[in-house]
Amino acid sequence: MIKIFLVEDEVVMRNGIKNNIPWEKEGLLFAGEASDGELAYALIKKVQPDILITDIRMPFMDGLELSELVKKEFPKIKIGYNEFDYAKQAIHIGVTDYLLKPITASKLLEAVKKVAEVIEREREEENMLERYRLEMAENTVLDRQRLFKDLVTSRIS
């Protein structure tokens, strides 16, 4: 299940997002929330969400600072913003998407689901690559065993 973490300093906005989207019905897990980047960072380290939705302008640590820290430590986390003015800087950091306030629950859910699909595809690709690596390692061992057997039985010199 894709884990979502929300960082928003406006309580009404944060509660609206948290409570007005049927996260589990959509196959998503609302994994946590924080009112600023400083509080969020410690929680993100524990929860390790797949998607981080963050406001830009917040007290103590803003969304850009938080995103830089998160991307350095957890490069696979997808990050979405909700302030257009910071889009260029956000893209430089590696933000996946940005949204304009005010945003409806349906628009936010639509954006989150698109990112969730990307995460699922990336996970499938990683699993396929890992299976390929294991298969190649097995084939290498089998090839060595065959070569050794052929050398011992004098099939080849």
Side-chain angles (χ1 to χ4, degrees):
M1 192 171 270
I2 301 292
K3 294 188 282 186
I4 312 294
F5 194 93
L6 174 65
V7 187
E8 170 62 63
D9 61 330
E10 296 176 34
V11 177
V12 173
M13 183 81 153
R14 191 170 66 242
N15 286 336
I17 291 170
K18 179 175 77 172
N19 298 325
N20 291 319
I21 295 177
W23 299 103
E24 288 186 22
K25 180 182 172 195
E26 298 295 337
L28 304 164
L29 174 65
F30 189 85
E33 62 182 291
S35 60
D36 67 70
E38 209 171 275
L39 292 170
Y41 187 62
L43 294 171
I44 289 167
K45 288 171 79 171
K46 287 181 187 175
V47 174
Q48 295 188 17
D50 300 296
I51 299 173
L52 169 61
I53 302 168
T54 181
D55 193 2
I56 296 289
R57 289 177 279 200
M58 298 180 291
F60 308 113
M61 180 191 298
D62 69 27
L64 292 171
E65 291 174 88
L66 174 64
S67 296
E68 283 190 72
L69 288 173
V70 168
K71 272 299 186 184
K72 283 179 187 171
E73 191 163 346
F74 306 102
K76 290 186 178 184
I77 292 178
K78 305 295 185 203
I79 302 172
Y81 282 125
N82 57 4
E83 287 289 338
F84 182 77
D85 295 341
Y86 296 93
K88 184 177 178 184
Q89 190 174 353
I91 289 168
H92 176 72
I93 292 169
V95 169
T96 304
D97 202 354
Y98 60 86
L99 307 166
L100 297 173
K101 280 184 176 178
I103 187 164
T104 63
S106 62
K107 289 279 187 196
L108 179 61
L109 182 58
E110 182 182 319
V112 167
K113 287 177 86 172
K114 282 181 188 176
V115 175
E117 287 174 14
V118 170
I119 291 169
E120 293 293 345
R121 273 197 308 273
E122 287 175 354
R123 286 179 179 171
E124 285 177 28
E125 289 171 7
E126 285 177 16
N127 288 338
M128 285 175 40
L129 186 58
E130 185 57 30
R131 284 195 305 268
Y132 174 75
R133 284 187 191 123
L134 290 172
E135 194 173 303
M136 291 306 294
E138 285 179 26
N139 287 341
T140 301
V141 169
L142 291 174
D143 288 344
R144 286 181 183 163
Q145 288 174 346
R146 276 192 221 108
L147 176 62
F148 182 72
K149 181 182 173 190
D150 288 347
L151 287 171
V152 170
T153 59
S154 299
R155 250 191 203 164
I156 58 173
S157 57

